[in-house]
Amino acid sequence: MNYVLYTDGACPGNPGPGVGGIGVNLILPEEFNLADRKISKGYHQTTNNRMELRAGIEGLRLARDSMKAFGRVRLEWLTDSKYVADNIFNVHKWSKG
């Protein structure tokens, strides 16, 4: 069983700051017989990178909450953001400054 997480964030007119938004779609395994979980939000005074990261954070929270309810499964995360894909596993380095 796999969860599939799609995330995207955007801010037209980047490098902003401007108006941006996020979209998240968590596809649950068919065995759960439940609708996919989705989030969309808009933000003011933001940038493209912030929106891409926010989409990832919201998506991971959604996946975490679903795993609490339905048990652990494999998570496949798809993003079009090179920034997110290249840096998501280096979060511990960010916190060290």
Side-chain angles (χ1 to χ4, degrees), residues 10 18-23 39-46 51 54:
V19 176
I22 65 166
I39 299 172
S40 61
K41 294 181 180 179
Y43 296 85
H44 294 284
Q45 297 296 309
T46 190
M51 291 296 89
R54 174 56 53 197

Side-chain angles (χ1 to χ4, degrees), residues 66-83:
S66 296
M67 287 180 191
K68 285 181 183 176
F70 304 117
R72 293 181 180 261
V73 295
R74 184 173 179 263
L75 176 66
E76 180 180 354
W77 182 4
L78 300 157
T79 178
D80 66 348
S81 172
K82 182 171 174 32
Y83 179 70

Side-chain angles (χ1 to χ4, degrees), residues 1-4 25-38 62 65-71:
M1 287 191 293
N2 294 339
Y3 286 48
V4 180
N25 188 6
L26 179 64
I27 300 173
L28 300 173
E30 289 182 15
E31 293 83 17
F32 294 156
N33 201 21
L34 296 170
D36 298 341
R37 301 195 173 191
K38 299 178 182 185
L62 190 62
D65 293 346
S66 296
M67 287 180 191
K68 285 181 183 176
F70 304 117

